[in-house]
């Protein structure tokens, strides 16, 4: 039983090392060193300002204008690539700016400050039988961070987070505050805009009903997955959530798969029996097992087999929507003096999936990449954000990679990631932007054809480049 619980935690959390933001600094005010969860880009910043009162945030922006200091915005800092800080700049730590401001059960809406987490929202709305529409697979991230990355999740009916946002208030570079709605020019730039247009103060989000699901898992070969998904998942209105994994083990590498569907239960009257919110368990044991997979091929083989066996054993298990969206994440808090875990994510059109996997397997067969896990989700076409990653109905492949700290290791990882990016682009795909900025400018422009319009908006709304981070420095 312990092995099954351990495997569940391991395989549900590979998406957790992701964007919303934890502040990794030596102190909360005065000059300090800061990095993000990857620990690959430590720099000295001037000051960290805790965002607790709106007037304090306004004063900080105005003071930065007077002194010509750059500002970056941070939440739990799970982005990887310097998206939340800048050398000699001010970092606004928004994690304390986390109040629930308004809630309407009938309209199914909630307004929260941007430092609130999805966990805060879940705890607030769960007693009312409501749930979040779109969020990452873990609930540890801040709302502001998730909006800034335009997150997506497991629900196949709702695509990117941008579709669930009714409005937000934005503190701009000139110190003024505006309310932004989907009809406004700034809406498509700020959502998925990585904090480059100002401080998201609060947002009104759409909610949905909590539901009771039944888990259904089956094994398959990668070559049949796209057809299976189209016919039996997307074509089945009873399937509410879906995820899949493709093997990174030595045997069956990028061939063997298993898929898990969360199917609407016919016994919705039992929802209250399953609605208590679960918390992380067995974190230390799970960390140890993931450590084996980082170091040994047999550890990775064992992990894959145990994960798959666990999910197959769970067929028929009932789980609430809110609990599906509370996957374990603490075990991914990994610290080692020689290496770290990073993410890459690629989006590939559904119809291109099998041929893409063939090309990816061929590419990686010549590389020494410590690839620990690949999780797959579906994201429907959505081009509302200026930096939209879903130009078609896409499969999202989230890769968990162990990378060394040395310059040589980082250079090698960058080279391999650029090769993998080329494979995705070849098949009409794209990649996700909250990670290490290893991709070239040409690759970024190809993946995001509206990027020049995005950067032009940045120059229009923030001509002094008051809001700054390393993503912008890299690609502007």
């Amino acid at each position: 039983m312990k092995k099954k619980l351990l495997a569940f935690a391991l395989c549900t959390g590979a998406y957790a090392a992701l964007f919303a933001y934890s502040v990794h600094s030596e102190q909360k005010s005065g000059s300090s060193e800061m990095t993000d969860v990857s620990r690959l880009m430590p720099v000295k910043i001037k000051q960290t300002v805790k965002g607790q009162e709106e007037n304090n945030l306004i004063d900080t922006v105005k003071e930065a204008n007077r002194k010509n200091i750059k500002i970056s915005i941070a939440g739990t800092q799970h982005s990887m690539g310097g998206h939340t800080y800048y050398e000699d700049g001010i970092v606004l730590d928004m994690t304390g700016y986390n109040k629930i401001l308004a809630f309407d059960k009938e309209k199914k809406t909630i307004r929260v400050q941007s430092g609130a987490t999805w966990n805060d929202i879940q705890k607030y709305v769960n007693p009312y039988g409501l749930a979040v529409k779109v969020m990452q697979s873990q609930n540890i991230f801040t709302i502001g961070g998730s909006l800034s990355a335009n997150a997506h999740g497991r629900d196949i009916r709702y695509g990117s987070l941008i579709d669930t946002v009714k409005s937000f208030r934005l503190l701009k570079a000139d110190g003024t505050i505006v309310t932004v709605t989907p009809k406004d020019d700034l809406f498509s730039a700020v959502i998925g805009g990585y904090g480059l247009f100002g401080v998201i103060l609060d947002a009104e989000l759409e909610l949905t009903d909590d539901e009771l699901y039944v888990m259904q898992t089956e094994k398959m070969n990668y070559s049949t997955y796209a057809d299976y998904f189209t016919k039996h998942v997307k074509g089945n209105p009873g399937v509410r959530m879906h995820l899949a994994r493709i093997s990174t083990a030595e045997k069956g590498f990028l061939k063997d798969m298993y898929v898990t569907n969360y199917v609407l239960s016919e016994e919705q009257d039992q929802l209250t029996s399953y609605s208590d919110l679960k918390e992380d368990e067995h974190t230390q044991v799970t960390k140890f097992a993931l450590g084996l997979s980082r170091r040994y091929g047999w550890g990775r083989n064992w992990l894959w087999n145990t994960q798959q066996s666990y999910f197959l054993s769970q067929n028929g298990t009932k789980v609430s929507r809110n609990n599906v969206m509370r996957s374990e994440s603490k075990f991914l808090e990994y610290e080692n003096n020689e290496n770290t875990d990073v993410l890459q994510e690629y989006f590939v059109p559904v119809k291109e999936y099998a041929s893409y996997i063939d090309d990816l397997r061929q590419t990686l067969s010549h590389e020494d990449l410590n690839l620990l896990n690949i999780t797959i989700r579906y994201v429907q076409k959505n081009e509302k954000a200026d930096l939209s990653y879903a130009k078609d109905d896409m499969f999202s492949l989230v890769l968990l990679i162990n990378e060394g700290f040395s310059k040589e290791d980082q250079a090698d990882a960058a080279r391999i990631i650029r090769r993998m990016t080329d494979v995705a682009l070849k098949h009409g795909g794209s990649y996700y932007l909250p990670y290490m900025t290893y991709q070239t400018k040409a690759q970024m422009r190809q993946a995001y054809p509206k990027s020049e319009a995005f950067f032009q908006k940045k120059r229009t709304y923030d001509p002094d480049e008051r809001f700054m981070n390393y993503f912008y420095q890299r690609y502007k």
Side-chain angles (χ1 to χ4, degrees):
M1 183 63 181
K2 182 176 285 187
K3 285 185 177 180
K4 290 180 178 180
L5 290 170
L6 176 153
F8 174 73
L10 281 168
C11 51
T12 54
Y15 203 45
L18 187 65
F19 38 82
Y21 316 118
S22 104
V23 175
H24 294 261
S25 63
E26 295 174 353
Q27 52 191 33
K28 291 299 179 183
S29 63
S31 179
S32 60
E33 185 176 271
M34 176 169 284
T35 185
D36 52 36
V37 71
S38 74
R39 297 179 291 135
L40 289 169
M41 296 178 60
V43 300
K44 290 287 186 180
I45 64 166
K46 185 176 294 294
Q47 184 183 13
T48 301
V49 176
K50 293 186 72 68
Q52 294 180 324
E53 299 295 336
E54 186 173 296
N55 287 337
N56 186 38
L57 294 170
I58 296 171
D59 291 343
T60 300
V61 171
K62 290 182 176 179
E63 181 181 6
N65 281 322
R66 288 192 299 269
K67 296 181 178 180
N68 194 27
I69 302 173
K70 303 299 185 185
I71 300 175
S72 302
I73 309 163
T76 60
Q77 258 184 331
H78 282 265
S79 58
M80 304 175 182
H83 297 66
T84 59
Y85 53 90
Y86 195 74
E87 188 172 10
D88 292 328
I90 294 172
V91 172
L92 298 180
D93 172 8
M94 301 298 291
T95 54
Y97 196 74
N98 56 8
K99 295 178 182 177
I100 306 292
L101 300 175
F103 170 66
D104 192 317
K105 179 183 177 182
E106 301 305 319
K107 294 182 179 180
K108 300 178 185 177
T109 60
I110 192 166
R111 188 163 68 91
V112 299
Q113 291 181 331
S114 59
T117 65
W118 295 108
N119 184 42
D120 293 330
I121 292 181
Q122 287 180 323
K123 287 182 175 180
Y124 194 94
V125 306
N126 187 61
Y128 298 95
L130 295 176
V132 174
K133 270 191 175 181
V134 176
M135 55 174 273
Q136 302 93 310
S137 291
Q138 282 73 30
N139 63 3
I140 62 175
F141 311 114
T142 62
I143 306 308
S146 297
L147 290 174
S148 295
N150 192 21
H152 63 94
R154 296 183 185 181
D155 195 308
I156 65 172
R157 300 167 299 167
Y158 312 124
S160 306
L161 184 55
I162 192 171
D163 272 342
T164 72
V165 182
K166 297 182 73 67
S167 68
F168 58 85
R169 289 195 311 140
L170 184 74
L171 172 57
K172 298 195 300 179
D174 61 4
T176 63
I177 296 174
V178 294
T179 297
V180 183
T181 68
K183 64 180 178 58
D184 296 317
D185 187 47
L186 272 171
F187 190 84
S188 61
V190 174
I191 298 182
Y194 299 95
L196 291 172
F197 292 84
V199 185
I200 298 173
L201 296 174
D202 50 68
E204 184 180 12
L205 306 173
E206 295 177 356
L207 302 169
T208 190
D209 292 324
D210 196 13
E211 296 175 324
L212 185 62
Y213 302 143
V214 178
M215 294 177 64
Q216 295 181 357
T217 298
E218 58 184 292
K219 298 189 291 185
M220 66 183 58
N221 184 272
Y222 79 102
S223 62
T224 63
Y225 176 55
D227 285 342
Y228 166 86
F229 178 85
T230 301
K231 294 176 183 177
H232 301 289
V233 179
K234 189 178 178 182
N236 181 353
V239 178
R240 299 299 214 220
M241 292 190 174
H242 171 85
L243 76 157
R245 288 183 179 84
I246 188 165
S247 175
T248 59
E250 294 173 350
K251 183 179 179 181
F253 180 70
L254 295 188
K255 290 184 179 179
D256 296 339
M257 292 186 63
Y258 66 90
V259 303
T260 300
N261 297 316
Y262 296 87
V263 182
L264 192 65
S265 170
E266 296 180 355
E267 300 171 321
Q268 290 301 307
D269 58 333
Q270 296 183 10
L271 174 62
T272 55
S273 300
Y274 297 87
S275 62
D276 288 347
L277 298 180
K278 64 183 182 182
E279 303 294 340
D280 283 2
E281 296 179 314
H282 310 292
T283 298
Q284 294 305 318
V285 177
T286 310
K287 281 187 174 184
F288 174 76
L290 188 56
L292 294 179
S293 69
R294 292 187 185 98
R295 297 180 61 186
Y296 306 111
W298 63 262
R300 200 167 300 163
N301 294 337
W302 173 80
L303 175 58
W304 170 256
N305 291 329
T306 309
Q307 286 175 338
Q308 184 171 252
S309 296
Y310 170 79
F311 270 90
L312 288 168
S313 75
Q314 293 300 294
N315 277 329
T317 298
K318 295 175 182 177
V319 58
S320 72
R321 177 186 181 87
N322 274 324
N323 278 319
V324 174
M325 301 170 85
R326 292 177 67 81
S327 299
E328 185 165 352
S329 57
K330 288 183 180 179
F331 70 89
L332 284 167
E333 296 171 355
Y334 173 62
E335 291 194 11
N336 185 286
N337 292 330
E338 297 180 352
N339 56 70
T340 186
D341 290 344
V342 300
L343 291 179
Q344 284 288 303
E345 184 170 353
Y346 301 99
F347 301 91
V348 181
V350 171
K351 59 182 178 295
E352 292 287 321
Y353 175 75
S355 57
Y356 160 77
I357 291 294
D358 286 335
D359 283 349
L360 181 62
R361 188 188 315 109
Q362 177 65 24
T363 298
L364 294 181
S365 67
H366 302 293
E367 301 289 358
D368 184 19
L369 183 70
N370 197 1
L371 179 58
L372 305 178
N373 186 83
I374 300 179
T375 304
I376 302 172
R377 294 168 182 78
Y378 167 74
V379 184
Q380 61 186 340
K381 181 178 180 179
N382 189 316
E383 297 184 281
K384 294 179 181 178
D386 291 348
L387 297 183
S388 173
Y389 43 76
K391 297 173 287 187
D392 201 339
D393 288 350
M394 301 277 204
F395 285 134
S396 146
L397 289 89
V398 185
L399 281 63
L400 182 64
I401 301 166
N402 184 252
E403 176 182 337
F405 282 124
S406 72
K407 291 182 179 179
E408 293 78 13
D409 287 341
Q410 290 190 54
D412 200 42
R415 179 186 59 79
I416 297 171
I417 286 169
R418 285 193 287 269
R419 289 195 68 192
M420 291 194 294
T421 302
D422 280 338
V423 175
L425 294 174
K426 171 186 173 182
H427 290 274
S430 60
Y431 70 97
Y432 207 15
L433 296 172
Y435 309 120
M436 292 300 295
T437 55
Y438 289 150
Q439 283 84 0
T440 67
K441 290 183 180 180
Q443 287 176 321
M444 193 272 183
R445 297 288 195 281
Q446 185 176 349
Y448 292 89
K450 293 192 290 185
S451 59
E452 183 49 46
F454 171 85
F455 291 127
Q456 181 56 52
K457 281 188 184 181
K458 168 68 173 175
R459 292 187 287 269
T460 299
Y461 289 102
D462 185 12
D464 295 325
E465 297 182 340
R466 184 64 49 224
F467 292 99
M468 176 62 74
N469 57 35
Y470 288 100
F471 163 74
Y472 181 64
Q473 182 189 67
R474 166 69 166 150
Y475 292 115
K476 67 176 181 177

